């Protein structure tokens, strides 16, 4: 009876493994020697192209350092932001590491690492105007990036029904350019990226209050738990040894440990 029981137990274990699939995500990355990061290549300072065309930024440096510590290489693939989760789930990329905010809707589709940065979705207007308040968006034309947390923050806010028009753009840069040209009255986007853009051009003003506070994390496919655990482990190690702070000071001008 004992032998029969053990045989049945082994068969059940094997059946469960087949049904649920073995998680080889970390092993697969180490075998091929690299992971591919999907990103919006216009999202400064998280990930963008410099004057020479090289991809640089806060998340670029984080991903490269994590890859180095894992003994692999980080490769980067620009994607359309509105379709980037589709690219992830279709295995065109291994992860999204580009200032992606954790939302309940996204958590249904992807697995997130522990958050590594907190930002606010704030209002940007043209320089020379007073910083806008949320209730002042009523009757205005507001720009957002398609599929972004800024777009979601506007949609969920009670002021949404009073906004004259919400214009959606492929990138935040396009939205800000239209704002500067006077084709919109305001843009709602994350504070880190918008303030970085303004530090280079000084054409904008921005609100102190936010429509929502968001948490940035790395998005992976559901089931890629061993890879997710390894990224969490490496980021926590970088925070402990000061590497995370150095990268943060380089791109954001402040420590975020």
């Amino acid at each position: 009876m004992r032998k029969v029981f053990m045989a049945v137990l082994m068969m059940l274990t094997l059946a469960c493994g087949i049904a649920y699939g073995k998680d080889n995500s970390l092993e697969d990355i180490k075998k091929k020697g690299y992971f591919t990061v999907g990103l919006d290549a216009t999202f400064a300072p998280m990930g963008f192209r410099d004057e020479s065309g090289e991809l640089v930024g806060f998340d670029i440096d984080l991903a490269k350092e994590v890859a180095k510590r894992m003994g692999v290489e980080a490769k980067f693939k620009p994607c359309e932001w509105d379709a980037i989760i589709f690219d992830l789930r279709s295995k065109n990329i291994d992860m999204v590491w580009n200032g992606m905010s954790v939302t309940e809707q996204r958590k249904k589709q992807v697995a997130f690492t522990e958050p590594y940065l907190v930002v606010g979705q704030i209002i940007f207007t043209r320089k020379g105007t007073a910083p806008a308040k949320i209730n002042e968006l009523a009757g205005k034309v507001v720009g957002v990036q398609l599929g972004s947390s800024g777009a979601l923050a506007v949609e969920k806010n009670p002021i949404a029904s009073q906004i004259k028009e919400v214009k959606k753009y492929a990138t935040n840069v396009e939205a800000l350019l239209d704002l500067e040209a006077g084709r919109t009255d305001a843009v709602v986007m994350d504070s880190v990226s918008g303030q970085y853009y303004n530090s280079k051009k000084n054409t904008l003003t921005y609100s102190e209050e936010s429509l929502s506070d968001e948490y940035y994390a790395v998005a992976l496919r559901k089931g890629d738990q061993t890879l997710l655990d390894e990224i969490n482990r490496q980021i926590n190690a970088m925070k402990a040894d000061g590497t995370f702070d150095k990268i943060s000071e380089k791109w954001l001008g402040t420590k975020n440990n």
Side-chain angles (χ1 to χ4, degrees):
M1 287 297 295
R2 179 179 175 82
K3 290 182 179 179
V4 172
F5 173 78
M6 292 302 295
V8 171
L9 182 61
M10 289 177 66
M11 290 176 66
L12 287 173
T13 302
L14 179 60
C16 288
I18 293 171
Y20 293 103
K22 185 181 177 183
D23 176 14
N24 294 318
S25 54
L26 178 58
E27 182 182 346
D28 290 345
I29 292 298
K30 291 195 172 184
K31 279 183 179 178
K32 69 179 182 178
Y34 66 90
F35 56 70
T36 302
V37 174
L39 74 159
D40 167 8
T42 68
F43 193 39
M46 311 311 287
F48 63 104
R49 295 193 184 278
D50 64 13
E51 294 177 355
S52 66
E54 182 182 356
L55 282 169
V56 297
F58 179 77
D59 283 332
I60 301 292
D61 283 359
L62 285 182
K64 285 182 175 179
E65 180 63 23
V66 165
K68 178 182 175 183
R69 293 177 182 220
M70 288 172 57
V72 299
E73 180 185 357
K75 296 186 177 183
F76 301 92
K77 183 175 182 178
C79 303
E80 291 294 329
W81 189 253
D82 193 40
I84 202 164
I85 289 179
F86 175 81
D87 284 323
L88 174 63
R89 298 179 71 182
S90 300
K91 298 189 176 182
N92 296 324
I93 54 179
D94 296 308
M95 64 193 72
V96 180
W97 198 332
N98 189 219
M100 175 170 271
S101 299
V102 178
T103 67
E104 292 304 314
Q105 183 178 7
R106 286 172 176 161
K107 283 164 71 173
K108 294 175 183 177
Q109 303 176 76
V110 303
F112 282 107
T113 62
E114 297 168 10
Y116 61 87
L117 200 65
V118 183
V119 299
Q121 297 298 324
I122 64 175
I123 306 165
F124 290 85
T125 50
R126 286 181 293 280
K127 190 176 181 180
T129 62
K133 296 182 179 179
I134 295 173
N135 61 6
E136 293 171 344
L137 295 179
K140 303 291 176 60
V141 178
V142 178
V144 296
Q145 183 185 26
L146 187 66
S148 69
S149 295
L152 185 62
V154 170
E155 180 185 322
K156 286 188 170 184
N157 195 278
I159 198 67
S161 61
Q162 301 176 53
I163 293 174
K164 180 180 179 180
E165 181 186 1
V166 177
K167 296 186 71 173
K168 297 181 179 180
Y169 298 85
T171 68
N172 281 312
V173 172
E174 291 173 339
L176 291 173
L177 288 173
D178 255 15
L179 173 62
E180 290 171 336
R183 288 186 281 270
T184 59
D185 300 304
V187 167
V188 174
M189 62 181 291
D190 79 276
S191 55
V192 169
S193 184
Q195 289 170 4
Y196 182 84
Y197 178 96
N198 194 49
S199 71
K200 305 299 180 183
K201 302 187 70 174
N202 196 29
T203 56
L204 306 171
T205 187
Y206 47 88
S207 64
E208 293 184 8
E209 64 176 343
S210 64
L211 278 76
S212 66
D213 289 326
E214 316 257 324
Y215 296 87
Y216 282 175
V218 185
L220 293 89
R221 283 181 290 277
K222 284 182 176 290
D224 286 1
Q225 189 63 45
T226 55
L227 179 57
L228 185 148
D229 290 343
E230 178 67 7
I231 293 173
N232 277 332
R233 189 176 74 83
Q234 296 296 352
I235 291 177
N236 286 332
M238 289 164 62
K239 288 183 175 183
D241 66 24
T243 305
F244 188 95
D245 274 349
K246 289 179 182 178
I247 295 172
S248 180
E249 287 181 300
K250 173 183 175 181
W251 291 107
L252 309 181
T254 183
K255 294 181 179 182
N256 282 280
N257 196 350

